[in-house]
Structures are given as C-alpha cells and as structure tokens.
Amino acid sequence: MNKFAKVAAASSLLLLASACGGGSDDGSADGGAPEEMTVWIMGDSQPHIVEYFGEAEAAWQEAHPGSALNVEFIPWPDVQTTLTNALAGGDSPDVIEIGNDQSSNWASQGALVDITETVDAWDEAADLDQNALEFASYEGSVYGVPWYSGVRTLYYRADWLGDLDIEPPTDWESLRDAAERINEEHDVPGFCAPTDFTNGIASFIWSNGGEIAVHDGSAWEGRLTDPATREAIEFYADLSADGDVSPSAALGANENDGCLNDMANGNLGMYIDGSWARGAWEGVAEDPAVLDQIETTVLPGADGMAPAFAGGSNLSVWSTTENPEAAAELLQLLAGKEWGDRFAETAGFFPAYPELLEQDKYTSDPLKAAGAEQMTNTQFFPATPNWNSADQEQKILPKAVLEIAQGGDAEEILAGYNDQLTEILNTPVE
C-alpha cells in the first residue's frame, strides 16, 4: 500500500494538513512495522515537502513493505493546543517534529520517549552537531535528534556598500560605521536593531564573551549583569535608540514587523534575518529588482564573526506510540545523513551534520554560503523548559533592551531583570 504517494499526487495542498492524527494501526505489515506509521510535521503542507515524504516513504518501504507513512501537517499556530491534546489522550503520532527550543519543555511533560540507547547505538549520531544533540536532551537523557538547522546572517545592500567603497561589516565598529554612512548617503536607516529580537541580541552578547544564564550544576544563574553581557546589551540598545541608524518602528518590534518590509523596499541598508527571508521579501517587494541587490554575510561580532542561535527542529518519538522500535527506526531514517540533508535542502535550511555543510550546493550559493559558514559558529539558549517562560512569555531580554534604548538606567534595569530571569529558570518543573 502506498497511501502517501496517492495523497501526494492530489492537487490540494491541505489534504495532508490536519491538526489531529490517526495513530498507528494494530496490524503489522511485515512483522517489524505496522501497516501505517503516523508522522506529525510542523507547518503548512507544501508541494515540495509532500514530494519529499513521498520519496522517504518509498525508502521506508524498502525495509518494511506494506508499511505506509501517514504524514500530517500541524500549522504552527495550532502546535501548542494540538500537542497538549495529544498528551491528554487524543490522537497522536509515532514520530514528531519538535522545535529544538521546545524539546526540553515536552520532555519534562512526559510527551517524548527517552531515546538515549537508540542514539548511543546509532553510528551516524557521532557525526551530528553535538551541541545541537545536547540541546535535544533533558536531565541527562536524549529526547530528540537534530533534523535541520537555520541560522541568521546579516543581509545588506551590496550596491550601496559598493558605491561607498566599503566591505560588508565584520565587527561592531564597522557595522555602525557602515550604517551611519548609508544613512548619510541614502537618507534611510543603515541597520535595523529591533528590540523584540532575542535571537539577534543574544549574538551580540555571545560575541562579547557574555552569557544570558549559566547552570552551575545545581541551579541556574542569570548573567545579565556581568560586564561583558551588559556592554553588549548597551551597544545594541544604543543602535536601537539611534533613529538615523535604526528605524524608530523597530523599538518594541521584531525583525519581521520592524525591518523586513523596509529591506525589501529599499528603505533600509542592513538587518539580521534567516535564510527564509528571501521568500518573505518577494511577498512585499514593490520593485523585485531591489531584491537582486541584497547579499548576506556572517554576523559581525565584537571582534569578528558572532555566534548565532542554531534554530531548527528535532525529530522525536511520541510517548504513546504503540510501535516504539519502528518509530525509532523511522526517526533514524529521516534524520540520517541522506534524508536529513534532503529535507534541509528541500525546506531551505541546513543539515544537522557539520561535514555536509561543505557541499558545493551550500558553499557556492551566494545566499546560502554565509549561512553555511555561520553554522560553524553557533550557540544555544538555556536548555530548560523554563526558558520558554523567560523569553516567550515574559520577554525578559527584549524588555530590558527596550527600556535601556528608551533612556532607562542600564545597571538598574539589568539587575531587576536578572533577578527575574534567575527566579524563572529555577522554578521547579511540574
């Protein structure tokens, strides 16, 4: 049976998009896998992703004839509700995509299977990005395998920098200098520094040798008041506050709301975004020719390339699967070098295997080369379920930067938010 291939051939993009799954059949196709394996993927169904899974199903069926893949797409706005319902006993998958910053959250709730032994026995796991693999762990056990990654880089108007006879920025000093000169020459902000942008702000902190928080073995300790962290935050806040350097609309905004439209329409010189930005520009650009003038480079740090947060997703085994061994095998297929690399390329991201970043398809593409290089210098946020509360709910770092950019006392502001950050990160996980 090739259920997926039949669905993939259908014209509707939403035939596979569902917020509830069917689970696995009780019947066994070949003694090693059930007649159907359910996979939940985050986001909307897209033709190229559907095609990928059709091909992956064929590879799965080489080892398990008659075992089909039932792939269901969960729109991002529905993820929290859908997974909560699944955990409460609703329809659920065998294998699931989980945002890498959500892995510890769902692991702490008992939603994911401990796959430490599976990973230890899997040869390809040794070649994965080991920091990303550690980020997929919780309390010493592995609950996910990195599937793909995405990093942010610095996008800039190459024609404007060329006319000014200056190179793309490589550090903070050259970033500010380029931004100021763009403003003088073109009367538009030179660099967009949105305050609701933890990923970007973190790169400034890390590049200066600072940390957001550290774990001493028994507890989390906020580091917003450390000199290196404070210096980076003040530098970024100063960029945000300077209306000639950064758009005033970026105060209190994220990169999508405060920067993207201006970049796509020739009203901005530089900003930080991911490899997915090109598609977003095409949706808002009044003159598509502007987009051909935009190039990208690695993130400029205090002195050289800054680390970037390696966003992306893991593949995990859902705790209620009736076929844990088959689910672990399917996870290894999809997250292995061949199919992991295929998905990364298909989805416009980067593979979770550092050695694969050296392939020509990444290094020779002008818009991918910088990302591939940036992938060699990444860092991760505190690996605790409480990080989501500190960042997404309380927005501790964005609020601190905004208040400082608006003229508040940095020492006092950071001391208060550091206490709040430490308290949240050390809240017992229920």
Side-chain angles (χ1 to χ4, degrees):
M1 178 175 69
N2 195 333
K3 174 183 177 182
F4 192 91
K6 293 178 181 177
V7 176
S11 59
S12 172
L13 301 184
L14 299 178
L15 284 177
L16 289 179
S18 171
C20 56
S24 299
D25 291 346
D26 293 331
S28 177
D30 60 0
E35 292 181 0
E36 183 176 276
M37 295 289 291
T38 297
V39 182
W40 280 6
I41 300 301
M42 304 302 111
D44 296 325
S45 171
Q46 301 177 60
H48 55 293
I49 304 297
V50 169
E51 182 179 359
Y52 163 87
F53 277 106
E55 295 171 351
E57 181 185 54
W60 171 251
Q61 290 179 333
E62 289 180 8
H64 301 286
S67 178
L69 300 187
N70 172 33
V71 180
E72 301 176 0
F73 293 87
I74 314 300
W76 282 108
D78 299 338
V79 169
Q80 181 72 28
T81 299
T82 303
L83 269 61
T84 298
N85 290 340
L87 189 59
D91 293 331
S92 59
D94 297 298
V95 174
I96 186 168
E97 175 189 358
I98 297 284
N100 65 358
D101 60 346
Q102 291 286 319
S103 184
S104 60
N105 175 40
W106 291 107
S108 71
Q109 297 183 55
L112 309 179
V113 172
D114 180 344
I115 57 171
T116 304
E117 292 184 4
T118 296
V119 171
D120 287 344
W122 183 30
D123 291 341
E124 286 189 316
D127 296 328
L128 284 164
D129 181 331
Q130 296 302 298
N131 289 329
L133 185 60
E134 182 178 354
F135 197 51
S137 301
Y138 175 66
E139 294 188 339
S141 296
V142 181
Y143 289 91
V145 171
W147 193 23
Y148 65 85
S149 292
V151 290
R152 287 165 173 79
T153 54
L154 179 73
Y155 287 96
Y156 62 92
R157 283 292 298 265
D159 54 338
W160 291 357
L161 293 191
D163 291 342
L164 292 168
D165 195 27
I166 55 178
E167 296 295 323
T170 57
D171 54 28
W172 290 357
E173 182 179 358
S174 57
L175 175 67
R176 176 176 275 280
D177 178 66
E180 291 175 345
R181 294 185 62 183
I182 288 171
N183 174 254
E184 292 171 359
E185 181 70 19
H186 296 279
D187 196 29
V188 299
F191 172 71
C192 188
T195 58
D196 189 6
F197 191 29
T198 298
N199 289 343
I201 298 167
S203 289
F204 282 76
I205 293 172
W206 292 331
S207 81
N208 203 39
E211 294 284 356
I212 298 171
V214 297
H215 196 269
D216 65 5
S218 60
W220 286 97
E221 180 181 307
R223 290 292 178 84
L224 301 185
T225 56
D226 283 8
T229 303
R230 175 181 169 182
E231 181 182 29
I233 289 175
E234 288 187 290
F235 178 83
Y236 188 91
D238 187 59
L239 293 175
S240 301
D242 189 334
D244 292 332
V245 168
S246 182
S248 57
L251 288 171
N254 58 35
E255 73 274 29
N256 294 324
D257 296 332
C259 314
L260 188 148
N261 191 78
D262 283 348
M263 191 70 186
N265 287 292
N267 298 315
L268 179 67
M270 301 176 289
Y271 90 120
I272 295 171
D273 207 337
S275 56
W276 49 88
R278 177 80 193 200
W281 299 335
E282 291 173 349
V284 299
E286 296 176 3
D287 179 6
V290 169
L291 307 187
D292 295 332
Q293 304 299 328
I294 301 175
E295 297 184 8
T296 185
T297 187
V298 296
L299 297 178
D303 184 18
M305 178 170 52
F309 170 64
S313 286
N314 303 327
L315 288 178
S316 297
V317 176
W318 194 255
S319 60
T320 59
T321 178
E322 297 178 2
N323 309 283
E325 292 184 2
E329 184 179 346
L330 177 57
L331 178 150
Q332 289 173 302
L333 171 72
L334 296 175
K337 289 182 182 178
E338 178 182 355
W339 290 96
D341 186 36
R342 285 197 192 188
F343 186 82
E345 182 178 14
T346 298
F349 290 93
F350 296 98
Y353 296 88
E355 66 187 70
L356 298 181
L357 295 170
E358 300 175 5
Q359 296 176 94
D360 185 66
K361 63 184 177 183
Y362 297 117
T363 60
S364 64
D365 186 314
L367 287 181
K368 290 182 178 179
E373 182 180 356
Q374 186 66 65
M375 282 291 298
T376 66
N377 189 5
T378 60
Q379 203 156 325
F380 295 88
F381 295 122
T384 165
N386 293 328
W387 172 247
N388 292 311
S389 175
D391 183 47
Q392 297 180 17
E393 296 175 12
Q394 300 301 320
K395 291 186 176 294
I396 287 178
L397 195 54
K399 287 180 180 178
V401 172
L402 177 60
E403 290 181 21
I404 295 170
Q406 292 175 329
D409 181 84
E411 183 175 358
E412 180 180 339
I413 290 169
L414 291 177
Y417 280 113
N418 194 65
D419 289 344
Q420 184 180 352
L421 175 64
T422 299
E423 180 180 357
I424 292 175
L425 294 184
N426 288 301
T427 300
V429 177
E430 299 179 359

